[in-house]
Amino acid sequence: MELLFAVLGGLLCGAVAHVVLPWRTTRGQLLGPAVGGITAAVLWEALTWAGWQYDATWIWVVALLGAGVVALVTEWFLGRRRTQADTAYYERVKANRA
């Protein structure tokens, strides 16, 4: 049951990452929540296999902060990369027209 709550928390962290970062129009709306949820699930399982207790505070902190950080980094990287690729494509098309 705790895994479900961790994944839901990761989904929320990813959704917040999508909203707070620029370049929203260059990414899919579900990218952040998907990355956050998957990261939270993987971290939660890895930490429970490492022997961390379900009711401990640190497993929640690590799983949710990790999900938020990974979602922020992913969205930041993909947003910048997409903007740069679009600019390069526009310049290439503009140069071929002339």
Side-chain angles (χ1 to χ4, degrees):
M1 190 61 155
E2 288 86 359
L3 176 62
L4 174 66
F5 293 131
V7 171
L8 288 174
L11 291 170
L12 288 173
C13 290
V16 169
H18 176 73
V19 172
V20 299
L21 289 177
W23 308 299
R24 273 183 225 106
T25 59
T26 62
R27 301 181 309 260
Q29 293 179 1
L30 296 178
L31 176 69
V35 169
I38 291 168
T39 303
V42 169
L43 283 174
W44 183 270
E45 283 300 314
L47 293 173
T48 56
W49 290 344
W52 292 29
Q53 298 299 315
Y54 296 133
D55 58 351
T57 303
W58 285 108
I59 193 169
W60 290 98
V61 171
V62 171
L64 295 179
L65 281 179
V69 167
V70 171
L72 282 169
V73 169
T74 302
E75 297 229 357
W76 181 272
F77 174 74
L78 291 178
R80 285 194 52 195
R81 186 176 182 279
R82 173 68 186 267
T83 303
Q84 291 170 350
D86 287 351
T87 302
Y89 178 72
Y90 174 73
E91 293 299 326
R92 194 169 60 243
V93 167
K94 189 169 72 169
N96 286 339
R97 267 190 164 192

